[in-house]
Amino acid sequence: MTDNSLKLKKVKLPDDIDYIGVYLTNRCFLSCPYCITNYNERYINTKGLKELEPSEWIASLNRLILPEGIPLTLQGGEPFLYRGIWDILENIRHKADILTALPPEVTVEKFKKLKTLDWNKRVSPYPTIRVSYHHGQNDYKSLIDRIRELQGILSIGLFHIEHPAYPGLAEEIRAYAKERGVEFRTKAFLGEWQGKTCARYKYDDACKGKITRKKVRCRNTVYPIGPNGLIYRCHSDLYARRENLALGCITNPDLKLDHQHTDCYNYGTCSPCDIKVKTNHLQEDGYTSVDIIF
């Protein structure tokens, strides 16, 4: 794999950026009915969506100067469905986390064939490869047994969406994981269940699925980067594919990123990913990635 990063000028990301989501693909081998990427019912439509070549990702990601302690997070969709992820892992110069549902073809042998696993070695309060279990879509016992094998060489653990329809399931999984020495954590279900909002939101009228205010001004500490390299202001713009509102393209030789509040006319269709009250990369609770001026 040829790395042409020297042809691209370095780009320094703002110091207060907390998360860089690299969406390698929006394809997935699961079909969860509550998938957050289907919030605007457009992101999962792959028709006409270009994906960057592995060499483009490598050159573009390596040009970035990241804030201290912040990794790249490879995700999707399912990042391991992207044909070039192994090339990226071999050639990336940053630490990288991975959000995955761990397709069957991802094996310990494939990781052992990589020239380096340095991308996976960083001080972190949580496993840096975060495997998602989704009830009815994959089998948690199989995932835990596979993670147990992988954790001999990787920082990896199992994460479960606490859907309110399955009370008690988390403790069942926790017991099985503990028995096998696998780290297990839960994540909040982002959505409504039986008319009740299940997550904590900083802005109550932001995730109504329809515009609730004519104009606000927003600034996000998250950079979602789409499969075609466009850098979006927020997850809502990413999932709705509002390409005209993108901050720029990561492959642009003249890329500049100004971290300012910008006008938004889509408030009310926000993604829970940006609005929820959660923990930051240091696992400090009370963080919300977006700041909104009304």
Side-chain angles (χ1 to χ4, degrees):
M1 178 61 60
T2 301
D3 180 359
N4 62 344
S5 59
L6 294 179
K7 298 180 182 178
L8 295 174
K9 292 185 293 187
K10 294 291 185 180
V11 176
K12 186 178 186 301
L13 272 56
D15 290 336
D16 60 350
I17 291 296
D18 188 79
Y19 186 90
I20 301 133
V22 181
Y23 289 74
L24 296 177
T25 181
N26 60 8
R27 291 171 286 124
C28 189
F29 69 107
L30 305 180
S31 55
C32 304
Y34 50 84
C35 181
I36 194 65
T37 64
N38 198 26
Y39 179 71
N40 282 298
E41 298 182 349
R42 291 180 60 187
Y43 185 68
I44 60 171
N45 179 10
T46 62
K47 186 178 292 186
L49 182 63
K50 175 183 178 290
E51 294 181 354
L52 291 185
E53 294 295 326
S55 59
E56 293 179 295
W57 274 122
I58 293 165
S60 301
L61 294 174
N62 282 343
R63 76 188 296 200
L64 301 179
I65 301 173
L66 308 183
E68 185 177 355
I70 302 297
L72 301 171
T73 301
L74 307 182
Q75 56 190 92
E78 170 50 60
F80 282 106
L81 294 187
Y82 177 71
R83 65 197 181 284
I85 187 172
W86 300 102
D87 287 327
I88 292 174
L89 293 176
E90 284 224 317
N91 292 279
I92 203 72
R93 295 176 185 167
H94 301 295
K95 303 303 181 186
D97 291 5
I98 305 177
L99 305 186
T100 176
L102 209 62
E105 64 271 19
V106 179
T107 63
V108 68
E109 287 76 22
K110 286 193 175 183
F111 283 105
K112 286 181 176 179
K113 287 180 180 179
L114 292 175
K115 291 181 295 187
T116 179
L117 295 175
D118 284 349
W119 52 270
N120 182 247
K121 296 175 182 177
R122 71 180 182 91
V123 177
S124 171
Y126 47 80
T128 57
I129 299 180
R130 300 187 281 286
V131 180
S132 292
Y133 164 67
H134 302 276
H135 181 69
Q137 296 290 317
N138 45 11
D139 177 67
Y140 75 79
K141 291 184 178 180
S142 172
L143 286 175
I144 288 172
D145 291 342
R146 292 174 62 202
I147 291 169
R148 184 182 183 184
E149 182 181 19
L150 288 164
Q151 69 183 8
I153 60 170
L154 297 166
S155 169
I156 186 170
L158 184 67
F159 288 70
H160 165 55
I161 304 293
E162 281 198 296
H163 197 294
Y166 315 114
L169 179 59
E171 292 311 309
E172 177 184 318
I173 301 171
R174 192 184 309 279
Y176 190 87
K178 183 177 181 181
E179 187 178 292
R180 282 152 182 78
V182 169
E183 185 165 355
F184 170 70
R185 300 195 184 198
T186 58
K187 298 191 290 186
F189 169 66
L190 300 180
E192 293 189 355
W193 175 251
Q194 297 181 341
K196 182 181 178 181
T197 299
C198 299
R200 293 182 294 159
Y201 293 155
K202 183 175 180 179
Y203 306 101
D204 292 336
D205 61 342
C207 300
K208 296 297 184 181
K210 61 182 180 180
I211 295 174
T212 56
R213 296 176 185 250
K214 290 183 178 180
K215 175 184 173 182
V216 298
R217 289 181 61 78
C218 299
R219 185 181 69 179
N220 207 343
T221 54
V222 168
Y223 278 150
I225 308 174
N228 58 2
L230 289 180
I231 305 170
Y232 289 92
R233 303 179 304 173
C234 62
H235 287 88
S236 178
D237 282 358
L238 168 76
Y239 297 149
R241 290 170 66 176
R242 301 185 186 114
E243 296 188 354
N244 61 309
L245 299 179
L247 299 172
C249 185
I250 195 170
T251 61
N252 184 348
D254 299 316
L255 175 67
K256 294 181 180 179
L257 293 172
D258 294 324
H259 198 221
Q260 306 293 330
H261 284 82
T262 57
D263 292 344
C264 176
Y265 300 90
N266 295 295
Y267 182 88
T269 68
C270 303
S271 168
C273 296
D274 299 309
I275 302 301
K276 68 176 180 177
V277 180
K278 53 188 174 182
T279 57
N280 62 10
H281 73 282
L282 297 174
Q283 292 291 278
E284 298 167 336
D285 194 31
Y287 161 75
T288 299
S289 69
V290 68
D291 180 64
I292 300 176
I293 300 173
F294 297 102

